[in-house]
Amino acid sequence: MELWEYERAAWRESAETVCGVDEAGAGPLMGPVYAAAVILPRELDIPGLNDSKKLTEKKREALYEIITAQAAAWSVARVEAAEIDEMDILNARMLVMQRAIDGLSLRPELALIDGNRDHGSRYAIETPHCLIVGGDGKSASIAAASILAKVSRDRYVAEVLDKQYPQYQFAKHKGYGTKLHYQMLDRYGPCPEHRETFLKKWEARRRG
């Protein structure tokens, strides 16, 4: 599928400035959830641009540098683990995506949002928007946002949280519920960066 189809449709409908938005880190047991919003110059050709999940870490890192250098505007935001516990992950995802949009130096007339949800019980996407399921593989702007969100979170986990809490080996698993991560939880228990609401099954198993 051609990656500019959704953007072109928006331009035809008189939305001059269109951003793509995606989040990363909704699933892990620890750390913040990140989101990025990106406004690309029209029809900008970025070879290899795709859904971040389909790219190697090396390719994502290279594309991150290209996107941040060439985007008309970009913004990255995060919601911390304690905030996720306080509000739930759906509300955290909505909040972090809106924070990313609000952080743009250009005001978008339309946001292309990856996924099928635009609100939780407390927070919603307030910018005029269009939801696209699988958008990170269908829209250039969303694909670019997916890369910025993923690389930003991975760097924070590997370069900051892994050094703060080396016993959990966060750099290896990025906080996902891998066998290694659960082994480290069994050994050391949770740290302040763990999402308590994501550990209920683990705690029940431990108590049982």
Side-chain angles (χ1 to χ4, degrees), residues 22-25 28 34-36 51-57 60-61 64 76 143-157 173-174 176:
D22 199 5
E23 39 86 7
Y34 270 70
D51 170 6
S52 65
K53 294 186 290 295
K54 295 175 182 169
L55 302 170
T56 63
E57 184 177 357
R60 285 196 298 268
E61 289 279 351
Y64 177 97
V76 173
S146 79
I147 290 165
L148 296 201
K150 172 74 173 154
V151 171
S152 297
R153 186 182 191 278
D154 284 357
R155 285 179 180 177
Y156 179 70
V157 169
H173 50 71
K174 305 299 189 290
Y176 284 88

Side-chain angles (χ1 to χ4, degrees), residues 5 24 27 44 55 57 59 63 66 78 84 92-93 96 111 122 138 165-166 169 171 182:
E5 199 170 299
L44 175 67
L55 302 170
E57 184 177 357
K59 185 66 176 172
L63 284 167
I66 293 167
R78 76 187 198 214
I84 295 169
R93 287 175 53 222
V96 76
R122 282 168 55 184
K138 298 175 182 176
Y165 305 100
Q169 302 181 50
Y182 279 116

